[in-house]
Amino acid sequence: MNASIDFDRRLWPQDVAQSRAHARMLAARAIIAAEDRDALLAGLDAVELELRDGRFPFDADDEDIHMAIERRVTELAGPVGGKLHTARSRNDQVVTDLAMFTRERAAVARAAIGELMGVVLARAEQHLDWPLPGYTHLQRAQPVYLSHHLLAYFWMLSRDRARFAYAEHEAGRLPLGAGALAGVNFDTDRSLVATELGFREVIPNSIDAVSGRDFILDYLAAAATCATHLSRLGAELVLWSSVEFSFCELPDAWSSGSSIMPQKKNPDAAELLRGKAPRVVGHLAALHGVIHALPLTYNKDLQEDKEHLFDAVDTIELSLAAARGMLAGVSFSRERMSAASCDELLAATDIADLLVARCDMPFREAHGVVAGLVRTAVDSGRTLSELTVEELAAQSAELAAHSELYYEALRQSSWLESKISEGGTSTARVEQQLELARATLDADASL
Ligand code: ARG
């Protein structure tokens, strides 16, 4: 139960890098001799090669990756290996590895999101004026252009990218040098180590340094929200690719056949975007649980940070790649989407707005007039545009007086182009949005 080697071995690149920086700093401050430093660096080089090639001889007694590396350096370099841990504790060592790891993976996620945003943007540009129904309560509500719908994901992703940039920023302070918790009995140079390892600054309090894991919470929070966004995309792809919707077809590489029903093509990857999100959210909640009410400073409970982080990293990176592949390859059906969005009842709000704009009618009253028109149409099995001027007059004399505007508003696509407000679905507004999206994509997302 005590051992973490089975999962923390993946921190070896960070552990080797920080040990190198630490050995150099010890020599620079004359805490160890230059020849000791060189022997340590040679030992670390050899260990790195073994780890990289998968030939590192793990030992049954290796509790964690930090002890394994130090043991092996000592085997290869001799007793001088024991000097590597001068002025260092595993408490500041482990959290330093984690900060380096988190920083790197946050940058990877940020880049992966940028690539996905690029695909979303390209698909939006390709489907600028393809109408589909917009839904509320999963009931057809108002038609929108597919470009507009896809761009909604672009903006979610751009915020996700900013959240990962923040996590990366938060992991940018060096814990090393805190020792076990109180500082060390040597006049070390923490800034030197920080610079070599790419940290912006050192954590100013040794207690905070070994106790703190909130940079991992920041990463997990970013990952949880991002995974949740991807789950909504996955859910829509599942719905849209069903025969009932038939709005799109997923690429074969991102779907699979049924083992028993030959006609079926299952949207597995889209379903997994949906299904994997809660485990990332779970990791965030679990690490909050680990840290909750934990007395300062290091407690072994904190060893439980790693598996939550690692699985979240693997899950979000995989999900981002899958989302990108699916969106790049999905093909949409213009016919099916526009057939589903030409239902005139979707223009009900537009007719109400017409009464507001042209007849100065309060919106609530207009809403009632249109409800009457819809009832007349539905009850008689006709569409709104098939109602006669007399039938309009039965609901509202003012509307009957503007009947030509009424019939015009019911023309296909006029109720999309009427959404002229900023951020709306009219083509001109979507074109504006695309321009903003291009600039956002190109902007430097780092903090
Ligand atoms: N494997 C430990 C962890 O992951 C490393 C730190 C151990 N420190 C200690 N005082 N036992 O947290």
Side-chain angles (χ1 to χ4, degrees):
M1 191 182 197
N2 210 19
S4 51
I5 186 77
D6 285 343
F7 47 87
D8 69 14
R9 63 177 65 193
R10 100 184 249 183
L11 291 172
W12 72 258
Q14 291 76 19
D15 209 67
V16 168
Q18 77 149 294
S19 290
R20 281 197 183 108
H22 185 63
R24 288 198 187 101
M25 182 280 290
L26 291 176
R29 299 300 274 194
I31 298 167
I32 62 171
E35 50 273 27
D36 290 345
R37 171 200 59 204
D38 294 342
L40 290 173
L41 292 177
L44 286 165
D45 285 350
V47 165
E48 179 179 41
L49 284 180
E50 288 183 343
L51 284 159
R52 180 165 298 158
D53 299 346
R55 321 181 254 110
F56 183 92
F58 283 100
D59 190 291
D61 290 338
D62 291 335
E63 188 181 301
D64 57 29
I65 189 65
H66 325 293
M67 294 175 85
I69 290 178
E70 188 187 332
R71 167 190 61 76
R72 187 65 183 147
V73 168
T74 306
E75 281 170 13
L76 294 171
V80 66
K83 295 195 175 185
L84 184 57
H85 214 52
T86 312
R88 185 173 75 173
S89 155
R90 271 190 298 155
N91 296 353
D92 58 348
Q93 185 178 359
V94 66
V95 65
T96 300
D97 284 354
L98 285 165
M100 293 168 71
F101 179 86
T102 303
R103 206 152 38 84
E104 287 166 27
R105 298 332 292 185
V108 166
R110 199 155 61 73
I113 292 173
E115 286 178 18
L116 177 56
M117 287 163 71
V119 171
V120 173
L121 180 54
R123 302 310 319 254
E125 281 166 338
Q126 289 160 2
H127 301 87
L128 180 65
D129 61 352
W130 291 35
L132 81 159
Y135 295 84
T136 60
H137 311 268
L138 202 55
Q139 308 292 320
R140 286 181 191 170
Q142 293 177 326
V144 292
Y145 290 122
L146 181 56
S147 51
H148 193 49
H149 192 100
L150 290 174
L151 283 171
Y153 285 103
F154 180 94
W155 299 115
M156 289 176 232
L157 290 166
S158 82
R159 295 191 297 275
D160 291 335
R161 190 170 67 157
R163 274 182 277 270
F164 277 111
Y166 178 72
E168 192 181 334
H169 179 84
E170 284 302 297
R173 292 183 206 94
L174 177 77
L176 199 68
L181 76 140
V184 297
N185 302 327
F186 298 89
D187 187 18
T188 52
D189 186 348
R190 297 181 66 203
S191 298
L192 190 68
V193 176
T195 305
E196 175 166 345
L197 296 179
F199 286 95
R200 206 170 58 246
E201 56 193 344
V202 303
I203 297 179
N205 181 305
S206 62
I207 293 174
D208 185 33
V210 293
S211 311
R213 296 292 185 277
D214 40 293
F215 64 88
I216 304 182
L217 292 176
D218 290 330
Y219 177 95
L220 292 175
T225 305
C226 182
T228 298
H229 286 156
L230 296 180
S231 79
R232 303 182 79 169
L233 174 67
E236 295 206 314
L237 289 174
V238 171
L239 282 175
W240 291 2
S241 63
S242 69
V243 173
E244 280 70 15
F245 279 78
S246 297
F247 285 1
C248 71
E249 195 182 331
L250 286 168
D252 286 345
W254 296 98
S255 8
S256 61
S258 157
S259 56
I260 180 163
M261 295 164 281
Q263 82 286 8
K264 280 188 76 204
K265 186 166 157 183
N266 297 326
D268 299 45
E271 295 167 85
L272 287 167
L273 283 188
R274 210 170 50 182
K276 280 188 185 291
R279 73 195 263 169
V280 181
V281 179
H283 291 313
L284 171 64
L287 187 59
H288 268 290
V290 169
I291 300 172
H292 168 82
L294 195 64
L296 305 182
T297 60
Y298 179 84
N299 297 268
K300 191 71 177 218
D301 314 45
L302 290 175
Q303 181 166 284
E304 286 292 308
D305 56 4
K306 283 168 228 32
E307 286 168 290
H308 296 301
L309 174 63
F310 295 161
D311 187 70
V313 164
D314 295 339
T315 305
I316 197 68
E317 290 181 8
L318 192 60
S319 298
L320 284 166
R324 183 176 159 211
M326 272 187 284
L327 271 185
V330 64
S331 57
F332 294 97
S333 164
R334 184 165 206 153
E335 297 67 43
R336 287 286 307 187
M337 290 191 308
S338 72
S341 54
C342 70
D343 183 349
E344 278 179 6
L345 293 177
L346 297 178
T349 316
D350 288 64
I351 304 300
D353 285 344
L354 184 70
L355 288 164
V356 170
R358 289 311 185 103
C359 313
D360 196 30
M361 192 182 280
F363 181 78
R364 276 294 150 226
E365 190 183 332
H367 187 278
V369 169
V370 177
L373 293 169
V374 169
R375 218 173 304 116
T376 312
V378 170
D379 288 351
S380 60
R382 285 173 302 159
T383 63
L384 285 173
S385 60
E386 285 166 348
L387 299 183
T388 62
V389 180
E390 292 69 42
E391 282 167 318
L392 301 191
Q395 298 297 333
S396 157
E398 287 120 311
L399 178 60
H402 292 91
S403 63
E404 70 300 339
L405 293 174
Y406 171 85
Y407 295 114
E408 166 64 23
L410 290 173
R411 263 197 322 105
Q412 240 301 32
S413 87
S414 64
W415 60 80
L416 283 111
E417 289 307 325
S418 63
K419 297 295 181 294
I420 51 164
S421 61
E422 189 178 354
T425 201
S426 67
T427 324
R429 287 301 191 178
V430 174
E431 269 164 351
Q432 244 178 21
Q433 205 188 141
L434 283 167
E435 208 167 300
L436 190 60
R438 282 181 213 109
T440 303
L441 183 60
D442 292 341
D444 179 14
S446 66
L447 276 190

